[in-house]
Amino acid sequence: MTRIPHETSGEPNPLRALTLDQLRCRTSMKWRTYPEDVLPLWVAEMDVPLAEPIVRAVTDALARGDTGYPVGTAYAEALADFAEKRWSWDGLAVQRTAIVPDVMLGVVEMLKLVTGPGDTVVVNSPVYPPFYQFVEHMDRQVFEAPLGTEGRIDLGGLEDAFRRAVDGRRRAAYLLCSPHNPTGTVHTADELATVAVLADRYGVRVVADEIHAPLVVGGVDFVPYLSVPGAGNGLSLMSASKAWNLAGLKAALAIAGPEAAADLARLPEEVGHGPSHVGVIAHTAALRDGTAWLDALLAGLDDNRRLLGELLAGHLPGIAHRPGEATYLAWLDCRALGLGDDPAEVFLRRGRVALNSGVPFGTGGAGHVRLNLATSPEVVREAVRRMAAALG
């Protein structure tokens, strides 16, 4: 697969566009959960202005009064074009897609199609906490297949989890996080092909959360799960939400492999009423016209990853950190600092920096924190300064 380089977009770095004073005027979760003296580097919101094509598309829709119900395939067509150009994947068939409210609600609907109450859903811990919350709320059991020591899928452990999940001839699913949140691991084509072989061997259905797919480091290839051999009965969820900071404009796409088309066709009609029509317009504009902005963002994130590594080495050498290959999230191992299972609580209380606690990420999360890098270099520097001061 050939990936378009993102160092030559010519766009300004959006991570440098807004001041802290401007950001504190926002009313979203990131900026309203904690007091004003806390530096928020936790929830997955980016400190960026929206890409101009998105602003223009949404503004034009509002001027037209175009605020009704979503319809049509423009979003899916835009994603298919993006996937072909970005990942050399021409297998995203528009007729095998459906608009869903967002990725996690889409995950719930896909799991309802391929499992029943009491069935098992396998996840790779540590993993995005809603994987546990949403799955358990829908009366499925979560079974962990922890990542290996290098943060990659432990394929032997995954096979054992599949074997146990289908014991008693029950249906089972594997909720794949690709790229992986919180580690930023990008699964390779060989790893995903082995996943498909194991899933077929044990009759496990794969549902892939690929929301971070556009946020991959230069020189690393994202491989869509449905593009690998043997993955034809898989289901995927994709969205422009994370890469273009559109969480508040709800819209995502469910995508079926050729052998899962009949499953997707059973999706209840009312699910398609949940996405925002304005959200669909925004996501479509992002994928069609927002790639130069995205490339500038990716270059800025590369800079922030390098900066964080330098700052940790100089001021917090006790924190172990392997830079991720994707996402704008950094997974920090703080166990050597002696701060217990929840170092995020210490950094908040003593340093006034809000990070995600690793505990809700499941097995392997204790003693870790997740830090949001999608901010200015100045904020990254101040966050590390405060974290170091918290240990004094």
Side-chain angles (χ1 to χ4, degrees):
M1 286 179 149
T2 301
R3 192 171 177 280
I4 299 171
H6 60 246
E7 289 80 9
T8 58
S9 74
E11 289 268 328
N13 179 0
L15 296 170
R16 291 181 174 271
L18 301 174
T19 66
L20 262 179
D21 286 342
Q22 289 173 311
L23 291 166
R24 291 197 184 279
C25 292
R26 291 183 170 181
T27 59
S28 61
M29 181 182 289
K30 180 177 182 179
W31 293 97
R32 285 294 181 266
T33 298
Y34 295 99
E36 283 201 4
D37 67 324
V38 171
L39 202 59
L41 292 177
W42 61 295
V43 71
E45 297 180 23
M46 293 197 287
D47 295 346
V48 293
L50 287 188
E52 180 55 34
I54 300 172
V55 175
R56 187 167 57 249
V58 170
T59 302
D60 288 350
L62 295 179
R64 293 191 303 268
D66 190 5
T67 54
Y69 298 103
V71 70
T73 59
Y75 188 1
E77 292 166 11
L79 180 58
D81 289 344
F82 181 88
E84 185 171 10
K85 292 172 184 174
R86 210 75 177 181
W87 309 317
S88 300
W89 180 39
D90 61 3
L92 199 164
V94 171
Q95 66 271 23
R96 295 198 305 271
T97 66
I99 301 174
V100 294
D102 60 30
V103 164
M104 278 312 303
L105 291 178
V107 163
V108 168
E109 295 298 334
M110 297 306 102
L111 291 175
K112 286 179 181 177
L113 295 175
V114 299
T115 65
D119 288 340
T120 297
V121 177
V122 176
V123 303
N124 297 125
S125 61
V127 72
Y128 184 50
F131 276 26
Y132 298 92
Q133 299 157 355
F134 280 69
V135 169
E136 290 169 352
H137 183 71
M138 60 186 294
D139 196 25
R140 271 63 168 173
Q141 303 179 66
V142 176
F143 191 92
E144 293 182 326
L147 296 173
T149 55
E150 298 299 312
R152 310 207 68 85
I153 298 173
D154 178 348
L155 294 167
L158 186 66
E159 180 171 16
D160 182 62
F162 284 1
R163 184 185 299 112
R164 295 171 66 179
V166 300
D167 188 41
R169 302 187 178 221
R170 294 202 68 101
R171 291 188 293 175
Y174 172 39
L175 183 47
L176 171 68
C177 194
S178 179
H180 194 85
N181 175 6
T183 62
T185 302
V186 176
H187 310 304
T188 67
D190 287 346
E191 288 170 334
L192 294 174
T194 303
V195 165
V197 168
L198 294 175
D200 179 68
R201 180 180 302 165
Y202 292 97
V204 173
R205 298 298 298 276
V206 178
V207 176
D209 171 355
E210 298 181 312
I211 195 170
H212 289 279
L215 291 165
V216 175
V217 169
V220 176
D221 292 330
F222 169 73
V223 181
Y225 176 70
L226 297 181
S227 73
V228 303
N233 73 343
L235 295 157
S236 167
L237 285 306
M238 288 190 175
S239 170
S241 173
K242 286 293 184 285
W244 283 272
N245 206 40
L246 302 176
L249 290 167
K250 294 286 188 179
L253 284 166
I255 308 159
E259 297 158 38
D263 293 307
L264 190 61
R266 292 187 287 108
L267 188 69
E269 179 186 351
E270 61 268 21
V271 174
H273 298 168
S276 160
H277 176 51
V278 176
V280 170
I281 290 171
H283 289 235
T284 303
L287 291 161
R288 284 214 183 281
D289 302 314
T291 53
W293 183 95
L294 174 65
D295 288 339
L297 170 74
L298 293 173
L301 290 173
D302 283 351
D303 291 342
N304 278 3
R305 289 187 191 95
R306 286 189 290 270
L307 174 62
L308 179 66
E310 293 167 2
L311 292 170
L312 292 177
H315 302 284
L316 288 166
I319 291 181
H321 169 235
R322 180 186 295 111
E325 299 170 316
T327 82
Y328 49 75
L329 306 165
W331 186 238
L332 309 182
D333 183 350
C334 305
R335 288 175 292 180
L337 300 180
L339 302 179
D341 287 348
D342 190 9
E345 187 277 331
V346 178
F347 290 129
L348 176 61
R349 177 167 45 85
R350 297 183 192 169
R352 310 308 284 164
V353 180
L355 308 170
N356 287 103
S357 168
V359 175
F361 289 79
T363 299
H368 292 70
V369 298
R370 194 187 73 173
L371 183 151
N372 183 341
L373 277 169
T375 188
S376 68
E378 291 73 24
V379 169
V380 174
R381 289 191 184 92
E382 175 63 10
V384 174
R385 185 196 70 77
R386 292 187 184 196
M387 291 166 68
L391 305 182

